[in-house]
C-alpha cells in the first residue's frame, strides 16, 4: 500500500456503510505479478485534482514504476494483529 484513507476522521470518510476489520482503506498501491508490474490509484475524479503537484508526482512515479524506470519494494504489508490470519 502506498496511500490509505484515515477512516477515523469523519469529514474525510467517503464510506459510511463499509467497514473493514483492520480499518485500513487503501487508495493507491503497487504490486508485481511475475515479471509484470501494476500500479493502482483512485485519487480524484475531478480535473482540478490533477493540477496538484503532489498528485501529479504520485501518478508520474507510478507510471515510472510500471515501466521499470523506478525501482520499488513491492513486499506486501503485514496484516495487522486485528485481522484473522489466513
Amino acid at each position: 500500500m502506498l496511500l490509505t484513507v484515515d477512516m477515523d476522521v469523519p469529514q474525510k470518510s467517503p464510506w459510511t456503510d463499509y467497514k473493514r476489520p483492520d480499518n485500513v482503506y487503501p487508495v493507491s498501491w503497487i504490486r508485481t505479478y511475475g515479471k509484470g508490474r501494476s500500479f493502482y490509484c483512485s485519487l480524484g475524479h475531478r480535473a482540478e485534482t490533477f493540477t496538484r503537484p503532489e498528485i501529479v508526482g504520485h501518478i508520474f512515479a507510478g507510471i515510472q514504476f510500471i515501466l521499470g524506470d523506478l525501482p520499488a519494494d513491492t513486499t506486501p504489508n503485514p496484516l495487522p494483529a486485528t485481522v484473522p490470519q489466513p
Side-chain angles (χ1 to χ4, degrees):
M1 284 183 284
L2 301 173
L3 300 171
T4 61
V5 172
D6 185 353
M7 297 299 282
D8 293 328
V9 181
Q11 67 272 21
K12 293 187 179 183
S13 299
W15 307 285
T16 56
D17 59 346
Y18 176 67
K19 295 289 181 195
R20 287 178 49 113
D22 58 4
N23 205 36
V24 175
Y25 298 85
V27 294
S28 184
W29 62 85
I30 56 174
R31 186 169 179 179
T32 54
Y33 291 96
K35 293 183 180 180
R37 297 168 173 228
S38 66
F39 167 68
Y40 174 83
C41 181
S42 64
L43 291 175
H45 303 284
R46 300 187 324 218
E48 58 268 17
T49 302
F50 301 101
T51 61
R52 297 183 58 133
E54 59 273 15
I55 303 287
V56 173
H58 180 74
I59 293 170
F60 183 63
I63 293 168
Q64 287 180 296
F65 169 75
I66 62 172
L67 292 174
D69 293 340
L70 182 64
D73 181 6
T74 58
T75 305
N77 297 73
L79 291 173
T82 59
V83 177
Q85 303 295 316

